[in-house]
Amino acid sequence: MDHPAEPIRRTGWGRLALGALGFMTLAPLWAAAVPLAALQLASIRRRTSELAPAGLATGISLWWLVQPGELPDQFLRAVVLLASVAFLILTVRTGWSFIHRALAGTLMGFAVASLLLPVFGSSWPELIWWVEFRQGIAFRSMIGILATLFDTIGSSDVSAVDIRDLERRFADTARLMGRFSPAIVTLQVLAALALAAAVYRRIAVQPIGQVPGRFRDFRFSEHLGWAVVAALMIIVIPRIAALKLLAANALLVAGVLYALRGAAVVAFGLQVLGTGGIVFWLFATLAIVFMLPIVVGGAILLGVLDAGLNLRRRWIDAASR
């Protein structure tokens, strides 16, 4: 949820640093510099306090965009660049909330980059193969390190059968990451836009567009539910099997968004109860470590319920009564 009327907050750099560390586990940190540079250049007022960060973000963006790399790296750079341009145009031309601008900009950038793949002699099957190939190499390296470690310490608890089972599990994971690479790229770009917007709102003198609100207020249009229904119909109906992989990727992105919405409801509830902040993140960390499947499923369910029942508004109304 965005709050255009709120004063721009210059604090919260600690939480932002933690968010940047979390983002680095998902995508290169430099990806967030591209939308940040676009936003800064569009709102710069020729002040020294803005010129330095704008120049730094622009320089990092150009350096990252021109780096050589394999097909997955280049595709991510293309989507980030195109999505940043679309996001900036929507920011200047519309009064949409951040999440809707980010979703629309990411989908536009993703669509254009996908259409450009054949122009540069590539295709989605080749891109998926590259993702599986690279993940397979990374997983085999991990298995080799583990096997060497077990041999060094003389552990008798790990046999060749266990290693082969681990290899099969890693191979299945690599195939899944290849098949769901469209969803992974989409989430990476959304995260880059969110991190860039969070930094931008703290350093811009006069930021443009609605700024992102607090995490506990995170929500999006209930129309996303229709996209989920359409994706489920595609998966269920056998005659349109060619679109099943695309529908599965759409469901993954929607599931992550609904899980984030559910987590925001929990954060809001803890705030209403007089706790929050460190308590929420401590609770979230422990829950993820020890009960990840249950936590994700519960967060998605809570997010869906909030989309239909507006739980946070009901809590506010009940508290006011």
Side-chain angles (χ1 to χ4, degrees), residues 296-316:
V296 173
I300 293 175
L301 177 59
L302 192 57
V304 172
L305 290 175
D306 183 63
L309 301 177
N310 202 348
L311 299 175
R312 285 167 284 187
R313 173 55 59 186
R314 290 173 181 266
W315 289 345
I316 293 176

Side-chain angles (χ1 to χ4, degrees), residues 104-282:
T106 300
L107 293 177
M108 291 178 188
F110 188 90
V112 174
S114 299
L115 292 175
L116 290 176
L117 278 176
V119 177
F120 293 96
S122 300
S123 63
W124 262 110
E126 182 182 358
L127 179 59
I128 292 174
W129 179 88
W130 266 108
V131 173
E132 294 181 8
F133 176 72
R134 297 206 311 181
Q135 291 301 322
I137 292 177
F139 287 150
R140 284 192 292 271
S141 299
M142 292 175 57
I143 292 174
I145 294 174
L146 290 175
T148 303
L149 178 62
F150 290 138
D151 290 340
T152 302
I153 63 178
S155 175
S156 59
D157 298 331
V158 180
S159 63
V161 176
D162 297 324
I163 294 296
R164 286 197 295 270
D165 181 66
L166 189 61
E167 290 176 348
R168 285 193 296 269
R169 291 178 182 273
F170 278 165
D172 293 339
T173 302
R175 282 193 292 270
L176 281 176
M177 294 185 69
R179 292 174 64 84
F180 286 99
S181 54
I184 294 173
V185 171
T186 301
L187 294 173
Q188 287 175 323
V189 178
L190 286 174
L193 292 175
L195 180 59
V199 175
Y200 171 71
R201 70 175 296 191
R202 287 169 171 81
I203 62 177
V205 176
Q206 295 180 353
I208 56 176
Q210 296 190 36
V211 296
R214 300 175 186 271
F215 174 71
R216 64 173 179 263
D217 297 321
F218 174 75
R219 54 169 48 86
F220 43 80
S221 173
E222 285 67 28
H223 292 92
L224 181 65
W226 292 108
V228 174
V229 172
L232 288 173
M233 291 180 62
I234 291 174
I235 291 177
V236 171
I237 298 175
R239 293 188 177 182
I240 47 179
L243 298 177
K244 288 186 184 296
L245 183 57
L246 178 61
N249 279 270
L251 284 177
L252 177 57
V253 175
V256 171
L257 292 176
Y258 276 112
L260 289 174
R261 183 165 184 161
V265 172
V266 174
F268 182 87
L270 292 175
Q271 184 71 26
V272 170
L273 294 174
T275 59
I278 297 177
V279 175
F280 169 74
W281 293 112
L282 178 61

